[in-house]
Amino acid sequence: MTYAAAAAEYLDWDWNTPLPLPAGAKYPPPEGATGNLPHVDPKTIQGWIKNNPDANIGLRMPRFTYLDAKEYEVIGIDVDHYDTKHGWDTVEHVIERAGELPQTWKSSSRGLENPGGIYYFRVPAGKKWLGKLGDDVEIIQRSHRYAVAPPSVVKDRVYAWYFVDLEGDGGTTEADRPSPEDLPVLPD
């Protein structure tokens, strides 16, 4: 799947800023499209689709109004767990102190068995978040960073979506792309 096709699908699923990234790479994103700036207008995205059809894709975390009429944002807990990075150990330590995480979606290029990846949650809009949870774990948020998203390819690894049961048996299955509204609320 190309950026052109993926961006159109992400827009249909309410991910309001699919960013073109260079083919085979994670960065750089388009200038002026990330950080604490307004979301990019649809005309600009249509230009990106036309001019970057084979690019990788990045997602800026959206802000939206949910069925309960409350405003939410999406954050991603970006867990690096490979080579000398042990981010999942950091997450387990936080879970021991703060409590379990609900089932959610993650995106990753490292497959089903590796606990690394970006875990997505819905949170109340307007809150401030740390940029880093601990060793090898960062928080992707609307004003800070973006997520490399499926079906991007970096170093011959293809990004995919997975549904992860973090409360029960820890099982992970390949999954369809979620809508931001599908994401669980991050517990207090």
Side-chain angles (χ1 to χ4, degrees), residues 15-33:
W15 291 91
N16 53 14
T17 308
L19 305 169
L21 304 173
K26 295 182 176 186
Y27 58 89
E31 197 169 310

Side-chain angles (χ1 to χ4, degrees), residues 105-165:
W105 284 261
K106 80 169 184 171
S107 61
S108 177
S109 67
R110 298 194 180 272
L112 288 169
E113 303 303 319
N114 187 302
I118 302 171
Y119 295 79
Y120 295 85
F121 296 93
R122 186 166 28 112
V123 295
K127 293 206 174 215
K128 301 279 184 195
W129 301 96
L130 297 173
K132 188 171 180 163
L133 183 63
D135 290 342
D136 305 319
V137 180
E138 294 187 28
I139 306 299
I140 298 172
Q141 49 200 293
R142 196 169 166 268
S143 62
H144 176 66
R145 295 196 44 205
Y146 57 90
V148 177
S152 295
V153 179
V154 177
K155 296 182 182 175
D156 294 325
R157 291 191 318 270
V158 179
Y159 282 75
W161 284 103
Y162 302 97
F163 187 73
V164 184
D165 180 359

Side-chain angles (χ1 to χ4, degrees), residues 70-125:
K70 293 180 182 174
E71 260 197 291
Y72 290 92
E73 294 176 355
V74 173
I75 63 168
I77 300 175
D78 185 2
V79 180
D80 289 336
H81 196 87
Y82 56 89
D83 298 334
T84 61
K85 298 187 178 215
H86 301 286
W88 189 250
D89 297 342
T90 299
V91 171
E92 285 181 327
H93 180 70
V94 171
I95 287 172
E96 285 174 15
R97 288 188 354 252
E100 295 293 325
L101 292 171
Q103 299 175 344
T104 194
W105 284 261
K106 80 169 184 171
S107 61
S108 177
S109 67
R110 298 194 180 272
L112 288 169
E113 303 303 319
N114 187 302
I118 302 171
Y119 295 79
Y120 295 85
F121 296 93
R122 186 166 28 112
V123 295

Side-chain angles (χ1 to χ4, degrees), residues 11-87:
L11 288 169
D12 285 346
W13 282 78
D14 298 325
W15 291 91
N16 53 14
T17 308
L19 305 169
L21 304 173
K26 295 182 176 186
Y27 58 89
E31 197 169 310
T34 63
N36 206 9
L37 300 170
H39 279 287
V40 176
D41 64 83
K43 185 176 177 182
T44 298
I45 295 170
Q46 291 308 316
W48 290 340
I49 289 170
K50 180 180 177 190
N51 296 322
N52 304 284
D54 298 322
N56 271 347
I57 192 161
L59 295 176
R60 186 166 173 206
M61 300 296 98
R63 184 177 202 159
F64 60 95
T65 302
Y66 190 65
L67 299 173
D68 60 9
K70 293 180 182 174
E71 260 197 291
Y72 290 92
E73 294 176 355
V74 173
I75 63 168
I77 300 175
D78 185 2
V79 180
D80 289 336
H81 196 87
Y82 56 89
D83 298 334
T84 61
K85 298 187 178 215
H86 301 286

